[in-house]
Amino acid sequence: MTENTKELNVAYFSMEIALENDIKTYSGGLGVLAGDILKSAADLRIEMAGVTLLSREGYFKQQLNEFGKQVELVDSDYDFSKLQKLTNEIEITIGNDKVKVGVWLYLIKGKNEFTVPVYLLDTDIIGNSDEYRSLTNRLYGGDKETRLLQEIILGRAGVRILKDLGYVIKKFHINEGHGSFVMIEHFLNSDKPEIQDKINEVREKCIFTTHTPIRMGHDVFPLSLVLKYQEDFPSQLPGLIENESLNMTKLALYFSKFINGVALSHSKTSSQMFPNYLINTVTNGVHSITWTSPEFQKLYDKHIPNWRNSSLSLRNVFIVPLEEIWLAHQEAKRVLLEFVQREKKIKLEPDIFTIGLARRFTPYKRLTLLFSDMERLVKINKEIGKIQIICAGKAHPKDEAGKELIKEIYQFQKKYQKEIKIVFLENYNMDLAKLLVSGVDLWLNTPLPPNEASGTSGMKAAHNGVPQLSTWDGWWREGYIRSKTGWSIRGDEIDEKAGDINFRDALSLYRLLEQEILPRYYHSPDNWREIMRFTIGVNASFFNTERVLSQYIQEAYL
């Protein structure tokens, strides 16, 4: 150790890290989780740093045209004033070229002024060719080759930047397979004489979190493409290459001592997918202060003053009067409905039951399940209790099926606007998510099991007393207590002869709305408010990143 070296317990690598709404380094849940974990590290005063790409053009800005078709625009509202450009610069070999990589700094400020640095890698440097200068511009942009090059930059250049900054790092935590080249950098620079010793040395340093229960969701590159750009890649290692391809998830599994899924059910699914590895469980959470609305922050400050220091203390919410919980919720709902009227010129009513659903639009998440039988939904709205629905979410630019689902909802909105109000809010981002999870009355989540890794939106809603209606998958298998924290859509509750699982799940959803949810909301207000309070006390107090990080410290980092 020299005077210039700095000890760091954990370096956390993620292709996306959500820091603030106007720093465009995220596309969805993976990045939000990464940001929330690092925020909790700052709160808990843990010597930790994040590493990601600059993504100066963001993911994309979403607009819908007059037909409901998603249009992708460059997200140019990046606030560079919140970043500091550092002078550090390293060089990495890609193919026959030397590529320079610079770095920007963002500081996450926790409690008591403790900060956690996040380093954003940038290849837009004089001396690099245009091909390389644009590498760190667009999050998940370009073709398969671009994706591979971005992952080489994240992993290998990320390790070198940290070394150049003077860090000595105990553990490297890889969030999803995108950062797996971290392991290759360590392996190739190991001074151990034997190959197995090199592998073991890397494994001692590395932790891997997998998020993807769908085989198609894992990055797989042809070995020929990998060797084209990284001729030193150790393709001779036994068991690393299959069918002349490199699976980035398997690369991370191969070189990690501690591996975890992000919910009990997801770890089970991942163990079936990768049976040769021990996959532990650290169920996801959210950063409590970030995702608690101003209205509920004020309420907790009044009754549970220690909640900012300990998310677990939210279990003491049972001392909070039900009427005060309801008033805080109605104020958060007013803020959301005013936003809807301002943005979409649609007036929603504060006394009408409001359902929120927002995810990435792709078929297996089934965001149109609620609209499977519009006649039934309109009948429920007319005869059981009034409903209004707020939707949001982006489809990946290359996911045409996902884009069609957005168009479907847009068309339902137009066709049934006199019978039931449906609103689609464009350009789903962190700020919009904060309004939604606190302002709706029910959070709806409908992925096709077992495709949900975890899901965190319902956890955010729980911090604001909003119960969830979800399929029996992901974190909900741990957070669900019937009629206490919400409701579960289960296809097996309906006669197997009733049709396929989508049909059965839709029937279950409608039955729950008709028989349990709407009657309780409209006719048993104290019971509904008790559910809100129970949701906070049970789910918000546990499903938070303070608990997540504490679990990582105990099981992986130490």
Side-chain angles (χ1 to χ4, degrees), residues 183-201:
M183 286 92 161
I184 299 304
E185 180 69 15
H186 285 311
F187 177 83
L188 294 173
N189 286 285
S190 171
D191 57 6
K192 300 290 184 183
E194 302 295 329
I195 286 181
Q196 191 58 51
D197 291 336
K198 291 177 186 283
I199 294 171
N200 292 340
E201 182 181 48

Side-chain angles (χ1 to χ4, degrees), residues 29 77 244 275 304 319 348 366 419 527 548:
D77 302 325
E244 292 300 303
I304 318 168
I319 66 173
L348 300 181
R366 303 189 303 180
E419 290 90 355
N527 184 274
V548 170

Side-chain angles (χ1 to χ4, degrees), residues 52 55 67 71-72 141 233 242 274 323 382 389 408 479 499 508:
T52 190
S55 302
F67 306 106
V71 178
E72 297 99 25
F233 184 86
E242 292 183 11
F274 304 108
E323 182 63 21
K382 184 178 180 181
I389 303 161
E408 281 185 40
S508 178

Side-chain angles (χ1 to χ4, degrees), residues 378-389:
V378 168
K379 185 179 179 183
I380 291 171
N381 175 69
K382 184 178 180 181
E383 298 180 1
I384 308 299
K386 287 284 187 182
I387 298 171
Q388 50 198 16
I389 303 161

Side-chain angles (χ1 to χ4, degrees), residues 272 318 385:
Q272 293 168 348
F318 296 100

Side-chain angles (χ1 to χ4, degrees), residues 96-264:
N96 296 320
D97 302 315
K98 299 292 185 183
V99 179
K100 298 175 183 177
V101 182
V103 63
W104 299 69
L105 170 65
Y106 177 89
L107 289 175
I108 297 175
K109 295 179 182 178
K111 292 174 290 195
N112 304 315
E113 300 303 310
F114 188 85
T115 59
V116 163
V118 178
Y119 297 103
L120 301 94
L121 307 178
D122 184 13
T123 57
D124 188 9
I125 295 174
I126 294 172
N128 287 340
S129 67
D130 290 344
E131 173 192 3
Y132 296 127
R133 290 188 71 160
S134 64
L135 257 187
T136 55
N137 282 357
R138 183 73 63 89
L139 179 60
Y140 302 131
D143 55 15
K144 189 176 280 285
E145 286 195 40
T146 301
R147 183 72 162 259
L148 173 63
L149 296 180
Q150 287 181 331
E151 296 188 11
I152 291 168
I153 296 296
L154 175 63
R156 300 196 68 176
V159 172
R160 295 183 191 185
I161 281 285
L162 291 176
K163 185 177 181 181
D164 193 66
L165 287 162
Y167 285 113
V168 174
I169 300 162
K170 294 178 182 177
K171 299 287 184 180
F172 290 80
H173 188 160
I174 315 305
N175 188 41
E176 195 57 291
H178 313 121
S180 300
F181 276 102
V182 165
M183 286 92 161
I184 299 304
E185 180 69 15
H186 285 311
F187 177 83
L188 294 173
N189 286 285
S190 171
D191 57 6
K192 300 290 184 183
E194 302 295 329
I195 286 181
Q196 191 58 51
D197 291 336
K198 291 177 186 283
I199 294 171
N200 292 340
E201 182 181 48
V202 177
R203 286 175 178 167
E204 283 296 323
K205 292 179 179 178
C206 292
I207 294 136
F208 175 55
T209 299
T210 177
H211 293 261
T212 308
I214 301 170
R215 291 188 183 278
M216 293 295 292
H218 299 266
D219 284 341
V220 179
F221 300 108
L223 179 60
S224 58
L225 186 64
V226 175
L227 293 175
K228 174 183 175 182
Y229 292 112
Q230 296 287 274
E231 62 179 21
D232 59 353
F233 184 86
S235 57
Q236 78 283 0
L237 292 177
L240 193 56
I241 301 298
E242 292 183 11
N243 302 317
E244 292 300 303
S245 296
L246 172 65
N247 182 311
M248 295 299 286
T249 299
K250 289 186 177 179
L251 173 59
L253 293 169
Y254 186 93
F255 278 113
S256 295
K257 184 175 182 179
F258 183 91
I259 303 157
N260 73 280
V262 289
L264 284 168

Side-chain angles (χ1 to χ4, degrees), residues 5 35 63 128 181 198 272 285 313 374 417 507 558:
T5 59
Q63 284 186 1
N128 287 340
F181 276 102
K198 291 177 186 283
Q272 293 168 348
S313 66
M374 282 302 298
Q417 57 186 320
L507 290 179
L558 295 181

Side-chain angles (χ1 to χ4, degrees), residues 313-418:
S313 66
L314 288 172
R315 62 186 176 178
N316 296 325
V317 74
F318 296 100
I319 66 173
V320 181
L322 293 176
E323 182 63 21
E324 292 190 40
I325 289 175
W326 180 251
L327 290 174
H329 171 68
Q330 285 299 100
E331 179 60 22
K333 188 174 184 179
R334 180 190 65 78
V335 173
L336 170 62
L337 300 192
E338 286 182 354
F339 175 84
V340 171
Q341 185 162 13
R342 190 166 61 248
E343 294 296 314
K344 306 302 290 186
K345 307 297 185 283
I346 298 174
K347 182 173 174 55
L348 300 181
E349 301 299 333
D351 58 344
I352 291 180
F353 184 73
T354 304
I355 300 173
L357 62 154
R359 298 294 300 272
R360 177 168 62 88
F361 271 77
T362 198
Y364 78 85
K365 293 185 186 287
R366 303 189 303 180
L367 275 90
T368 56
L369 190 70
L370 177 62
F371 311 105
S372 299
D373 185 343
M374 282 302 298
E375 290 185 11
R376 176 88 175 264
L377 192 62
V378 168
K379 185 179 179 183
I380 291 171
N381 175 69
K382 184 178 180 181
E383 298 180 1
I384 308 299
K386 287 284 187 182
I387 298 171
Q388 50 198 16
I389 303 161
I390 305 177
C391 313
K394 298 177 178 179
H396 188 280
K398 295 180 181 178
D399 187 351
E400 295 302 324
K403 293 181 185 181
E404 284 301 311
L405 295 175
I406 294 175
K407 281 180 67 176
E408 281 185 40
I409 291 180
Y410 187 83
Q411 289 160 5
F412 288 140
Q413 174 185 322
K414 296 291 186 185
K415 184 176 180 180
Y416 294 94
Q417 57 186 320
K418 292 182 179 179

